[in-house]
């Protein structure tokens, strides 16, 4: 077994045991492999190890990998900050976009998604810590955004994504509570099924709080190579 297979198995085992401890089904949490700054050859190896969903943060780098790896059946997730003038390549080349925080972004993604493609899956990023400097909509804006985005034709709004400050120990529970409030008001609650939270250092806590998708980089690939600027 190679190193990437081993580290993937370890992460999957950690997810399973976190689920068991929390009394949740082991398949209720998906693993998203965060591959930013990793070269395509490493992604190809991780794919060979059984990993299909990959998350990228930097658009240009991601597009190069998508081209290089187009022979593989990879599900590409964009987890970086979404800029308004860069929505077209996201709409055309990704299966999921996690960092949507404004209606205009969702509208553009819906307009730019090709009719021949399946609807684009998105998560709304919420600024769960209430910090001025952070991306994400405010919790108070959420219910109106959900209502409006749900009307867009080429979008499937799946849930929430959060990137809490490490010192905020309440953040995962707060995010889960928000997630449940929206689900309770949702016209089609079965469509609202994704809570994207937890990374290498805190996936166990995120799963205990109700995460359905952990975004894991370092624990899978080791320390990241620096991003070439
Ligand atoms: C880099 C990144 C991750 C993965 O972080 P690790 O600590 O390497 O697991 C998860 N989510 C987002 C949004 C990231 O930018």
């Amino acid at each position: 077994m190679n190193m990437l297979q081993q580290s993937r198995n370890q992460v999957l085992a950690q997810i399973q045991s976190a689920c068991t401890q929390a009394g949740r089904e082991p398949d209720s949490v998906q693993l998203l492999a965060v591959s930013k700054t990793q070269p395509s050859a490493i992604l190809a190896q991780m794919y060979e190890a059984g990993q299909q969903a990959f998350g990228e943060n930097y658009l240009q780098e991601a597009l190069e990998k998508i081209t290089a790896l187009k022979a593989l059946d990879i599900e590409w997730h964009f987890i970086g900050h979404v800029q308004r003038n860069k929505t077209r390549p996201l709409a055309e080349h990704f299966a999921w976009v996690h960092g949507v925080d404004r209606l205009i972004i969702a509208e553009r993604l819906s307009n730019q998604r090709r009719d021949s493609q399946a609807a684009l899956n998105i998560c709304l990023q919420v600024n769960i810590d209430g910090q001025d400097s952070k991306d994400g909509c405010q919790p108070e804006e959420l219910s109106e955004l959900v209502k409006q985005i749900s009307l867009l034709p080429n979008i499937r709004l799946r849930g929430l994504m959060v990137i809490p400050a490490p010192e905020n120990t309440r953040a995962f529970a707060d995010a889960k509570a928000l997630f449940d409030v929206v689900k309770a008001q949702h016209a089609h609650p079965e469509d609202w099924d994704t809570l994207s939270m937890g990374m290498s250092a805190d996936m166990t806590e995120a799963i205990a709080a109700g995460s359905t998708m952990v975004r894991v980089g370092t624990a899978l690939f080791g320390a990241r190579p620096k991003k070439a600027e």
Side-chain angles (χ1 to χ4, degrees):
M1 207 178 351
N2 69 36
M3 293 247 298
L4 291 177
Q5 252 170 332
Q6 255 174 39
S7 57
R8 181 167 183 272
N9 287 347
Q10 273 166 14
V11 169
L12 289 175
Q14 190 179 340
I15 292 172
Q16 284 226 341
S17 103
C19 285
T20 308
Q21 277 173 43
R24 301 180 54 192
E25 293 295 327
D27 62 357
S28 62
V29 178
Q30 256 187 287
L31 172 59
L32 180 64
V34 175
S35 46
K36 60 182 172 217
T37 78
Q38 301 292 344
S40 299
I42 295 289
L43 277 72
Q45 280 182 39
M46 190 57 93
Y47 179 86
E48 285 307 312
Q51 181 64 32
Q52 200 185 6
F54 288 83
E56 289 282 337
N57 291 61
Y58 309 111
L59 182 58
Q60 196 49 46
E61 178 197 330
L63 293 175
E64 286 164 21
K65 292 180 199 175
I66 290 172
T67 303
L69 299 172
K70 64 175 182 296
L72 308 182
D73 186 22
I74 290 179
E75 180 180 273
W76 294 101
H77 294 232
F78 189 75
I79 61 172
H81 176 65
V82 181
Q83 285 173 271
R84 179 184 168 137
N85 61 347
K86 303 244 172 90
T87 48
R88 184 176 295 279
L90 294 178
E92 291 181 351
H93 298 288
F94 287 80
W96 285 72
V97 176
H98 290 233
V100 177
D101 59 5
R102 287 174 291 158
L103 180 60
I104 182 71
I105 300 281
E107 286 174 340
R108 291 175 64 92
L109 289 170
S110 181
N111 289 337
Q112 292 165 345
R113 188 74 166 171
R114 294 206 186 96
D115 290 334
S116 58
Q117 294 179 290
L120 178 67
N121 299 290
I122 67 171
C123 290
L124 275 170
Q125 185 175 352
V126 188
N127 180 355
I128 201 71
D129 308 306
Q131 290 174 29
D132 293 346
S133 58
K134 285 187 101 178
D135 297 331
C137 71
Q138 297 306 313
E140 311 81 66
E141 298 175 296
L142 202 54
S143 114
E144 192 57 31
L145 274 173
V146 169
K147 219 178 282 172
Q148 295 181 325
I149 293 175
S150 297
L151 300 173
L152 299 173
N154 298 322
I155 295 288
R156 263 182 89 189
L157 177 57
R158 302 289 295 267
L160 300 180
M161 106 71 121
V162 292
I163 312 175
E167 69 276 9
N168 183 354
T169 52
R170 288 199 41 80
F172 291 147
D174 288 349
K176 169 65 165 146
L178 267 181
F179 179 83
D180 288 344
V181 166
V182 174
K183 196 171 179 81
Q185 303 169 340
H186 205 286
H188 303 282
E190 67 283 2
D191 296 343
W192 184 257
D193 61 1
T194 303
L195 183 51
S196 164
M197 65 183 189
M199 310 197 235
S200 295
D202 55 15
M203 60 181 135
T204 298
E205 293 84 345
I207 291 168
S211 168
T212 70
M213 195 184 288
V214 288
R215 308 178 307 264
V216 179
T218 313
L220 284 173
F221 296 105
R224 267 186 287 281
K226 283 270 181 302
K227 177 170 154 39
E229 293 292 346

